[in-house]
Amino acid sequence: MIAHLGATGQTAMMDATEIRVRRPSAHRGGRSRFISGKSRINAMKSLVVTDERGRPLFCGEVRAGSVADITQARDAGLVDLLADTIGLQILADAGYQGLAARTYGQVVTPPRKRRGKHLEHLQWLMAHHEAARFAHSSARVPVEHGIAHLKNWRALADTTPDETTCPTPSEPSPDS
């Protein structure tokens, strides 16, 4: 997928989504690792890459909800794949800040939030900065639509934490 996108010069969009799961049973090791740090729910997390129109190109391995977005991208081998590709841009959210330096600018994240007491004096800078963040998030809307499409068609449905892979055709589906 990365080689194809690099050869065609398309822009991809990347985001991780949380899928709510039932809490693992009591006295089970690693029970707290499914608790998401962002939404404080028991969740599994999946990495999704879409094209410019929001069509899913890749839905990565499901991980525990406590795993950070950037860690999941590193574990999926995205940094190594992008090292061999030239001319590809992947738009990502603020959860992937820092990945741009390791991928030679191929992962584009929004500018960091400006903080400080003395920034109110620089209203023009703050307005420009917020406009850049808004433009980046507006360009990433298709990835959110792609994730919603996957969730609507139950590709990312509720699972128990033991089900980290899709069932093979010989196995019955969880819905039957």
Side-chain angles (χ1 to χ4, degrees):
M1 173 211 44
I2 297 292
H4 169 71
L5 288 171
T8 59
Q10 295 181 18
T11 300
M13 293 165 210
M14 173 175 60
D15 201 1
T17 184
E18 292 181 347
I19 304 105
R20 189 176 209 143
V21 295
R22 289 187 291 273
R23 187 171 186 181
S25 59
H27 309 294
R28 183 173 165 199
R31 186 176 183 196
S32 63
R33 72 183 190 128
F34 294 101
I35 299 175
S36 167
K38 181 178 181 180
S39 56
R40 301 287 184 212
I41 60 170
N42 291 300
M44 300 291 281
K45 203 178 254 192
S46 180
L47 179 70
V48 178
V49 178
T50 65
D51 65 0
E52 299 159 326
R53 293 177 46 190
R55 295 178 296 199
L57 301 173
F58 173 76
C59 184
E61 185 178 348
V62 178
R63 303 277 183 167
S66 61
V67 175
D69 292 354
I70 194 168
T71 303
Q72 190 169 12
R74 286 184 190 136
D75 290 347
L78 187 67
V79 176
D80 300 330
L81 290 172
L82 289 175
D84 299 333
T85 308
I86 298 173
L88 173 65
Q89 264 194 342
I90 298 178
L91 298 179
D93 64 1
Y96 299 95
Q97 285 183 341
L99 204 58
R102 298 196 61 202
T103 60
Y104 308 105
Q106 293 183 58
V107 174
V108 180
T109 57
R112 292 188 185 269
K113 286 187 177 178
R114 298 273 182 179
R115 301 197 186 272
K117 299 186 242 183
H118 306 292
L119 292 178
E120 59 270 1
H121 301 295
L122 303 172
Q123 291 297 325
W124 60 272
L125 177 63
M126 292 301 293
H128 175 66
H129 187 265
E130 288 304 313
R133 289 179 62 83
F134 182 80
H136 183 83
S137 67
S138 296
R140 287 190 58 259
V141 167
V143 73
E144 304 297 341
H145 289 243
I147 290 171
H149 185 73
L150 286 172
K151 286 185 175 182
N152 283 341
W153 287 98
R154 298 184 59 83
L156 295 176
D158 289 349
T159 60
T160 59
D162 293 334
E163 298 176 24
T164 57
T165 60
C166 297
T168 59
S170 61
E171 296 177 349
S173 67
D175 295 333
S176 53

